[in-house]
Amino acid sequence: MIEMKKFSFWYPGREAPSLDHVSLTIGTGEFVLLTGPTGCGKSTLLKCLNGIIPHLSGGKSQGEVTLGGRATRKMTMAELSSQVGLVQQSPDDQIFATSIQDEVAFGPENLCLPREEIENRLAWALQAVDLGSCRPGSTAALSGGQKQRLAIAAMLALQPRVLALDEPISQLDPQGAGEVMAVIRKLNREYGVTVVMVEHRIHEAAQYADRIVVMNGGKLVFDAPVREAMTQAELFVNMGLRLPETVEICRRLKRGQVAMTVRETVDILKPGGFKKRAPSPVGSMPATVGAPVLEIEDLFYKYSKKDRPVLNGINVTIRRGERVAVMGRNGAGKSTLLAHMAGLLVPRQGTVKVAGAIITHKQKLPLGTVGLVMQNPDLMLFQSSVRREVEFGLRNLKTTPSVMNERYSQAVQGLALTGLQDDPPLSLSRGQRLRTAIAAIVAMRPEMMFLDEPTTGQDKRNIENMMSALVDQVETLVFCTHDIETALAYATRVIVLDEGCIAADNVPRKVFADASLLDRSGLKPTQSWLVGRELGLHDVFSPRELEGKWIC
Amino acid sequence: MLNWQELTQSETAGTGIHRLDPRVKITMLIITGGLIVFLDNPVLLAILLAVGAAGMLIARLTLIKLKVVCVVVLLGLWGTVFSQALFYEQVPRTVMGTLISPGTPVLGPLTKGVYIYREGMLHGLRQGLRMATMTTLGLLVCWTTDSRLLLLGLVRMRLPYSLAFMTVTAVRFIPVLLRETMQVVTSAKMRGGSRLSMQLLSPILANCLRRAGTLAVAVESRAFRAQDRRTYLEELDLSLREKLFLTGYLLAAAAVVTCKTSYFCYQYGLYYVSALRPVYEFTRVYL
């Protein structure tokens, strides 16, 4: 179906190739998971499949990409569009119509199909992604997962033989991601669509794929069927990629065997038994907490009068030294709560007291009291170099040169930015840009720091480096995340939001052991916990903990 | 705090104005734009403005939108009337009052006196009403027409699809751009920066370019401009009532333009027919 022969590609103005002699063959109906560290050329490869490269990208290429035996270079964009559908990472950036049916009909209309045919394809595509009942609705009313399914439907309406997906689940809550993956699998299995999917979250996607291809530095470095690939765990670990927990469990307990699902893992482990002396649970230990630094009472908020409330009676106290993970499905109110905590929004009803000051329209927090890292860190980078970016806040705080140098060095070293001090922040990789934005805040030593989805689109190594630096340098930390593993490892407390209300507020191990709560809140229990429960272990959340309590 | 999202989006309340064919709204807007250039009578201009305002009430727009229109219209009116009243240069002009007399120490000799002129006020009122009418009607069209219908309307009015698509998509992303601008400003302020710094433009522009790139890939991947023409799932259907209304409005506007043109020709000695004297008189008094 798809064949790349020693294909190389250089973006305009770059000396190093983004794809370097890539040779890859993908058969009809295959589901290929393409993974690798951030910036390794995965998205560039996808753009080669649907002709964006070389037809619209500029740049220089060598070698050939063929689709069904024809070179993409010699095909028109209309031909390519009807053969390969490309779905990108952010649903909000690629959906441009206000109504669902217009979004899906856009492609067939461009192909000049008759109305009846457009109508048929529209109905089929929406049905295929389980959005058939939403057809007359507005795109704005959809959840994150639904929007991504709509983006897939918009491509399906062109009836492509190949679906190329660029990190389609990276911005979704676990349940939304599950919905999208189920739809992709259905398209692959039932409709025979060839799927090429780029994803960091291989622990969530690997079980659906037939084959894994790993890239590094623009080259293909590994290509094998999923189960075979999972026996090479070190390869993924060395690249900072996260393995499915079931694979990790079997790797630790039953070397040589691979399980992709919880059921399989349980079947493999069942012949074993409990360890007599189990070590105490690992993960984040409760920090020594001090006096309250943030108090929220009866907070209600809605963006306009006709909107439904985003926050619906929130009562929270956060104490010095706590590390709090705020979780919940997309649209549960996490970012709005964080904006109130940082004093950016003034409550319409209720009170928010930050560092002793009640937030009102007149009451502003002194500079450096709190720090906020937004969901899109690019909006926080406006200086000409990393050094100037990190020093910007310190200059405004009027710190002495020696203090400035000391704090700058600590922030830059802690967040692995050494050697980049003269680079323009916006020219760095995504992980580096996020770390620069964090360093700029950390250097100011705020009393409290808030991070909105800092783990999105980051590989495991980046997440670990970033969170370790934050734990070292920030006393009180509140972060929104969908990543249960990160919350387990770094949070001392988890607040779960559901439709603007606090559904749970407890230590991570209590929250993540409540399966019905997680289900209601768009979250999913860890695979280790599910395996442990089947085996009769009720306080196990990671492969390491399972290894400590179970023997095979 | 202003809710830019709400302010920049159309509403879906199903009033008669919402249901009007987008071509009717766009055509009316264009005709009115031409008509107000010809009209000089402040009463007629005020009536057109009142029609726009009534349309907003009938369309049951939200209070925040009505407030914003009021502020924009009143500020604009006050600004043009006041500035023209003070700085009207043409003659004859009648002094209604004195702000600074020539005898006032320092300011008097410097300004040679500042007066309020009656003709200036009237001229300012006309200009202000023209702007206010177009602002009100333009916002009414935007707030009562879904962007997809606007796109369809523009395309059906022979605007090239690519151009219409780009225009409507750009409008759709205005709230996103505003939200991001606010985020950049907020992030700068939280680190002690100024909200007016030119440096803040770089993340805004960089993000715009990134989004434009993503959007371009999304539309190109769906065969945008792959063919010279395209088909449409939805067709617009101009009802008989809408056709009659539009024809009536167009004829009325044409009549006004004809009257004003003939009066202009008569006034400057270019063309005169005695049989048209009632028309000259009507135009002079009412238009």
Side-chain angles (χ1 to χ4, degrees), chain B residues 43-103:
Chain B
V43 176
L44 281 184
L45 288 169
I47 289 173
L48 276 179
L49 173 62
V51 169
M56 288 192 158
L57 293 174
I58 292 167
R60 297 206 296 267
L61 295 180
T62 54
L63 192 61
I64 178 77
K65 284 180 175 164
L66 295 176
K67 277 184 189 170
V68 166
V69 172
C70 283
V71 169
V72 169
V73 164
L74 291 175
L75 272 179
L77 267 177
W78 180 84
T80 44
V81 170
F82 191 65
S83 60
Q84 290 295 328
L86 295 183
F87 304 114
Y88 189 70
E89 291 282 335
Q90 292 174 37
V91 285
R93 52 184 186 180
T94 316
V95 173
M96 287 173 68
T98 306
L99 275 186
I100 301 169
S101 87

Side-chain angles (χ1 to χ4, degrees), chain B residues 163-182:
Chain B
L163 198 61
F165 176 80
M166 283 187 264
T167 309
V168 171
T169 307
V171 170
R172 165 150 158 58
F173 279 94
I174 286 174
V176 180
L177 182 67
L178 289 170
R179 194 171 60 229
E180 285 182 354
T181 305
M182 297 301 286

Side-chain angles (χ1 to χ4, degrees), chain A residues 347-458:
Chain A
R348 294 195 176 215
Q349 197 181 323
T351 54
V352 176
K353 195 172 172 185
V354 184
I358 292 175
I359 302 297
T360 63
H361 284 289
K362 288 178 185 167
Q363 175 69 50
K364 304 288 177 210
L365 292 170
L367 185 61
T369 309
V370 297
L372 172 70
V373 177
M374 294 168 175
Q375 210 162 3
N376 180 359
D378 293 356
L379 298 174
M380 303 177 64
L381 305 173
F382 46 84
Q383 293 292 312
S384 56
S385 69
V386 170
R387 182 171 198 109
R388 291 178 69 88
E389 195 72 59
V390 177
E391 288 181 349
F392 180 79
L394 295 172
R395 282 185 210 285
N396 290 322
L397 279 173
K398 299 194 172 26
T399 51
T400 59
S402 62
V403 171
M404 188 186 291
N405 276 335
E406 186 197 332
R407 289 195 190 175
Y408 167 78
S409 302
Q410 282 176 356
V412 164
Q413 280 167 16
L415 286 145
L417 293 167
T418 316
L420 300 172
Q421 53 265 39
D422 296 324
D423 290 17
L426 286 170
S427 71
L428 301 175
S429 75
R430 193 161 59 183
Q432 289 166 339
R433 294 201 300 273
L434 174 64
R435 295 206 299 277
T436 306
I438 294 174
I441 303 287
V442 165
M444 294 174 75
R445 295 275 197 278
E447 281 187 48
M448 276 165 286
M449 186 152 167
F450 305 97
L451 297 105
D452 197 353
E453 310 271 8
T455 55
T456 299
Q458 302 290 320

Side-chain angles (χ1 to χ4, degrees), chain A residues 96 98 102-103 113 380, chain B residues 146 148 172 191 222 231:
Chain A
F96 45 82
T98 51
D102 283 5
E103 185 68 27
L113 298 176
M380 303 177 64
Chain B
D146 190 282
R148 76 196 170 90
R172 165 150 158 58
R191 289 195 280 149
R222 283 193 261 164
T231 48

Side-chain angles (χ1 to χ4, degrees), chain A residues 481 484 497 512:
Chain A
T481 185
I484 291 181
L497 286 185
F512 298 137

Side-chain angles (χ1 to χ4, degrees), chain A residues 222-239:
Chain A
F222 184 78
D223 182 355
V226 170
R227 283 182 186 272
E228 191 186 318
M230 290 301 136
T231 59
Q232 312 283 318
E234 280 71 22
L235 174 85
F236 297 93
V237 174
N238 290 341
M239 285 191 188

Side-chain angles (χ1 to χ4, degrees), chain B residues 144-155:
Chain B
T144 59
T145 317
D146 190 282
S147 56
R148 76 196 170 90
L149 291 174
L150 210 53
L151 173 68
L152 219 51
L154 290 169
V155 171

